[in-house]
Amino acid sequence: MDNTALTRRTALVALSATLVSTSGCSLTTAPPSPRETLPATQIDPDVAVAVSVLGRIRDVRSRIVGSQSGAGLSPRALSQTLAAHEAKLTTAVPASLRPTASPSAPAHRLSVPEVRKEIRGLQAALVDGAQGARSGAFALLLASMNAALAQHLHPVTRGSM
Amino acid sequence: MSAVEPLQQTLAAEHAAVYVLGVCAAQTSFTRERALWKRLDQAIGEHKRQRDELHQRVLELGAEPVAAAAAYEVPTVLNTTARIRRAAQGVEARCTDTYGALVASTEGGSRGWAISALAQGAVRELWFRGSPETFPGLS
């Protein structure tokens, strides 16, 4: 049906290469430099998006811990998916640019509608990032993450078979 | 690769999906497997809508939209519910891979369409698969 679909390895290798090379940083050879010392003009837009999305994922993941399950939505399964997304982005972002701040925990246990709202907000960021990404492989990764979250929201929004 | 080629490949995938899912629905009992039948019917409707949208996009780019084949190979003998479900899941998995390739190879409106199609395709795949994936469209 399709001879051009990117393999996962191809996409992720291309993503890592793109993000690292265009940022002027290296994961293995460059000395770590504080984020604030990097001039904004040296940061590739895709890297900036990756850093932003990475921080957003960490924040959402911390907020849904211990939240209510129901209507087919499993915060535990959702958290596992977000952890995998976070790990993938972490390997692609230069170490010096990774968010270091501790994510904020919610003051109360989130309800199912509140979890859905958090996820939809993250989805909007992923879609925006995918739409504007310079690298096709990076756009695909973000779009895939958005699709994975859509699957988690599906039982709530459309009922299960 | 021209801007229209990825769209043509996705359109060809939609033609195949409509055909194979139609066979799946034809082999599903509306009385005994109504939930599955309804999901198949809904999936066919969504693929037809996306097929028509892609057809229009290709026309707008000044190209002749790729036509459907007379027939497509059905993945397996569809004589059990499990096989029908697996075949439908396979169709949706291949389509999400195709949408993913379209995301990676386009920009602007076509990429936006592909991002949305990938999410919708992943949800349809979930209907037949049963459990979420970590990276749909990246297989």
Side-chain angles (χ1 to χ4, degrees), chain B residues 25-39:
Chain B
Q27 296 296 322
T28 302
S29 169
F30 178 76
T31 306
R32 285 181 286 111
E33 295 289 347
R34 185 163 299 187
L36 175 58
W37 189 92
K38 283 185 174 178
R39 285 302 195 197

Side-chain angles (χ1 to χ4, degrees), chain B residues 2-3 21 23 26 42 53 59 71 77 105 108 110 126 131:
Chain B
S2 70
L21 290 174
V23 175
Q42 189 175 353
E53 289 172 359
L59 280 178
V77 179
S105 58
S110 291
L126 181 68
S131 58

Side-chain angles (χ1 to χ4, degrees), chain A residues 1-2 4-8 11 84-85 88 130-131 133 136 139-141 143-144 146-148 150-152 154 158-161, chain B residues 9 13 35-36 39 42 46 85 94 98 100-101 103-104 108 111-112 115 118-119 122-123 126-127 132-136 138-139:
Chain A
M1 186 180 294
D2 172 44
T4 63
L6 296 176
T7 65
R8 180 177 306 189
H85 292 177
K88 197 63 69 181
Q131 183 67 61
L140 171 55
L141 180 64
S144 175
N146 171 58
Q151 287 185 330
H152 281 279
H154 154 77
R158 306 184 75 164
S160 56
M161 184 162 64
Chain B
Q9 291 174 358
L36 175 58
R39 285 302 195 197
Q42 189 175 353
E46 291 188 13
R85 200 183 295 266
R94 286 190 292 277
T98 305
V103 170
R111 179 182 282 182
I115 292 168
L118 176 52
V123 170
L126 181 68
W127 293 348
E133 300 166 277
T134 308
F135 293 103
L138 264 177
S139 59

Side-chain angles (χ1 to χ4, degrees), chain A residues 85-111:
Chain A
H85 292 177
E86 181 181 331
K88 197 63 69 181
L89 274 179
T90 299
T91 61
V93 170
S96 59
L97 295 176
R98 290 173 196 162
T100 55
S102 298
S104 58
H108 66 284
R109 194 173 176 221
L110 295 185
S111 64

Side-chain angles (χ1 to χ4, degrees), chain B:
Chain B
M1 185 184 290
S2 70
V4 77
E5 187 58 29
L7 291 171
Q8 294 277 38
Q9 291 174 358
T10 310
L11 177 56
E14 295 291 6
H15 285 315
V18 169
Y19 181 96
V20 176
L21 290 174
V23 175
C24 289
Q27 296 296 322
T28 302
S29 169
F30 178 76
T31 306
R32 285 181 286 111
E33 295 289 347
R34 185 163 299 187
L36 175 58
W37 189 92
K38 283 185 174 178
R39 285 302 195 197
L40 289 166
D41 187 54
Q42 189 175 353
I44 293 167
E46 291 188 13
H47 281 290
K48 283 182 175 176
R49 176 182 54 78
Q50 294 189 154
R51 175 199 64 191
D52 294 344
E53 289 172 359
L54 286 164
H55 186 277
Q56 186 61 34
R57 282 182 174 274
V58 171
L59 280 178
E60 288 169 359
L61 289 172
E64 180 67 24
V66 63
Y72 295 86
E73 185 178 354
V74 179
T76 184
V77 179
L78 300 175
N79 57 359
T80 67
T81 299
R83 285 180 172 178
I84 292 169
R85 200 183 295 266
R86 272 200 302 275
Q89 183 206 327
V91 168
E92 297 298 351
R94 286 190 292 277
C95 281
T96 55
D97 284 349
T98 305
Y99 303 142
L102 189 61
V103 170
S105 58
T106 55
E107 296 177 335
S110 291
R111 179 182 282 182
W113 187 94
I115 292 168
S116 175
L118 176 52
Q120 292 170 33
V123 170
R124 287 195 301 270
E125 187 182 351
L126 181 68
W127 293 348
F128 306 113
R129 187 175 191 270
S131 58
E133 300 166 277
T134 308
F135 293 103
L138 264 177
S139 59

Side-chain angles (χ1 to χ4, degrees), chain A:
Chain A
M1 186 180 294
D2 172 44
N3 295 324
T4 63
L6 296 176
T7 65
R8 180 177 306 189
R9 175 173 295 183
T10 301
L12 296 178
V13 166
L15 166 67
S16 299
T18 300
L19 294 183
V20 171
S21 64
T22 55
S23 69
C25 300
S26 166
L27 289 172
T28 54
T29 58
S33 57
R35 185 178 178 186
E36 56 271 22
T37 64
L38 274 176
T41 53
Q42 286 187 6
I43 301 176
D44 180 87
D46 282 0
V47 174
V49 170
V51 171
S52 171
V53 168
L54 182 57
R56 189 76 184 262
I57 290 173
R58 284 182 177 179
D59 195 43
V60 169
R61 193 171 153 228
S62 74
R63 290 174 62 77
I64 67 171
V65 168
S67 60
Q68 297 173 3
S69 60
L73 186 66
S74 166
R76 184 174 180 179
L78 193 50
S79 182
Q80 289 172 344
T81 296
L82 290 174
H85 292 177
E86 181 181 331
K88 197 63 69 181
L89 274 179
T90 299
T91 61
V93 170
S96 59
L97 295 176
R98 290 173 196 162
T100 55
S102 298
S104 58
H108 66 284
R109 194 173 176 221
L110 295 185
S111 64
V112 171
E114 287 172 323
V115 172
R116 289 174 58 186
K117 187 177 178 184
E118 291 280 343
I119 296 303
R120 285 184 173 147
L122 177 56
Q123 283 187 293
L126 290 168
V127 168
D128 283 350
Q131 183 67 61
R134 291 185 176 184
S135 157
F138 184 47
L140 171 55
L141 180 64
L142 296 179
S144 175
M145 291 175 174
N146 171 58
L149 297 181
Q151 287 185 330
H152 281 279
L153 292 183
H154 154 77
V156 174
T157 57
R158 306 184 75 164
S160 56
M161 184 162 64

